[in-house]
Amino acid sequence: GESVGLHLPTLSVQEGDNSIINCAYSNSASDYFIWYKQESGKGPQFIIDIRSNMDKRQGQRVTVLLNKTVKHLSLQIAATQPGDSAVYFCAETTVTYGNNRLAFGKGNQVVVIP
Amino acid sequence: NAGVMQNPRHLVRRRGQEARLRCSPMKGHSHVYWYRQLPEEGLKFMVYLQKENIIDESGMPKERFSAEFPKEGPSILRIQQVVRGDSAAYFCASSPGRGGKETQYFGPGTRLLVL
């Protein structure tokens, strides 16, 4: 079946360094992708999104890259801070067909070392 | 502007009881989504509702589970005759409902524990 998945289960990063989280998706019809951050005991928090007609989008300290050729999505966090410690999920959906159902990957734990 | 609200935050039920989970969307949002998260897993879509309509319930078990989003009041996810396998975190999300790209904003979740 179609799925969204993450390559690495845990990423340990030194405070101040950059973090890169990767995500592979298999549904070639997906046209809208979102990164969420989930802290322990909380709901997913929107970080950044990207449509399939773009290959890069930047936010505050975060950048999302989309490579449709290999169906790969990544989230880059600049100057990682202790508050960035969380589980990060990529999610995809197909807006074009009016299907707002999000498909989530399993998550990637980021641990920031002070 | 209050975010998505869910209550209760924690719910304990014994096997066979009913669980009712409530979700109030963000102000101005007319679309509601329910997701379930098992421990150390990603969220799984359950159901997508607009006011008084179920749009997509393809992710919801056919038995014991139901959802509604009435004209007035919160959206309700109802689980009848709960079993231990229903123990999970249930998240509600909402979006504006204006069409096109719709970012979903999530609530804090209800953690259901079935004894």
Side-chain angles (χ1 to χ4, degrees):
Chain A
E2 294 157 341
S3 65
V4 177
L6 298 176
H7 295 310
L8 302 174
T10 303
L11 174 67
S12 296
V13 59
Q14 202 72 36
E15 182 179 356
D17 288 351
N18 297 335
S19 304
I20 299 177
I21 307 165
N22 296 302
C23 175
Y25 66 95
S26 58
N27 185 358
S28 56
S30 294
D31 57 9
Y32 179 48
F33 304 87
I34 310 116
W35 280 100
Y36 287 93
K37 169 187 178 183
Q38 186 176 27
E39 296 173 275
S40 181
K42 297 184 179 179
Q45 176 188 353
F46 172 85
I47 301 174
I48 192 168
D49 59 359
I50 189 168
R51 289 294 300 264
S52 58
N53 60 354
M54 302 173 69
D55 53 21
K56 180 179 179 179
R57 191 156 188 241
Q58 288 185 293
Q60 188 176 12
R61 283 201 307 117
V62 294
T63 301
V64 55
L65 300 176
L66 175 63
N67 185 330
K68 295 181 288 293
T69 303
V70 295
K71 296 181 194 153
H72 185 266
L73 194 68
S74 69
L75 177 70
Q76 300 177 1
I77 305 173
T80 311
Q81 302 169 358
D84 294 329
S85 292
V87 177
Y88 290 81
F89 294 95
C90 63
E92 52 93 6
T93 190
T94 312
V95 173
T96 304
Y97 299 112
N99 177 2
N100 292 322
R101 178 174 64 216
L102 291 175
F104 282 82
K106 285 194 172 183
N108 193 335
Q109 176 84 48
V110 172
V111 178
V112 180
I113 303 166
Chain B
N1 186 14
V4 178
M5 295 194 293
Q6 291 187 248
N7 69 81
R9 294 293 305 277
H10 299 273
L11 184 60
V12 180
R13 284 287 179 266
R14 297 192 179 279
R15 281 179 295 169
Q17 292 183 320
E18 178 179 288
R20 281 191 177 227
L21 288 60
R22 295 175 188 78
C23 169
S24 296
M26 285 179 69
K27 187 177 180 180
H29 285 192
S30 61
H31 289 197
V32 164
Y33 314 80
W34 286 93
Y35 294 82
R36 176 165 61 179
Q37 185 177 34
L38 296 173
E40 298 186 0
E41 290 194 8
L43 283 74
K44 303 291 186 189
F45 169 82
M46 297 182 74
V47 62
Y48 164 33
L49 309 105
Q50 298 173 17
K51 283 283 188 182
E52 300 183 282
N53 283 308
I54 296 175
I55 306 303
D56 180 356
E57 57 182 346
S58 59
M60 201 152 69
K62 295 289 185 286
E63 297 179 352
R64 302 188 298 108
F65 285 72
S66 63
E68 62 176 8
F69 188 17
K71 187 177 180 181
E72 301 291 339
S75 175
I76 306 286
L77 178 67
R78 182 182 175 200
I79 311 172
Q80 295 177 291
Q81 299 175 316
V82 295
V83 301
R84 288 204 174 129
D86 296 334
S87 295
Y90 291 82
F91 291 97
C92 168
S94 73
S95 68
R98 288 190 281 270
K101 183 192 77 169
E102 291 261 316
T103 301
Q104 294 178 28
Y105 296 92
F106 283 82
T110 294
R111 279 140 188 91
L112 172 65
L113 176 62
V114 180
L115 302 177

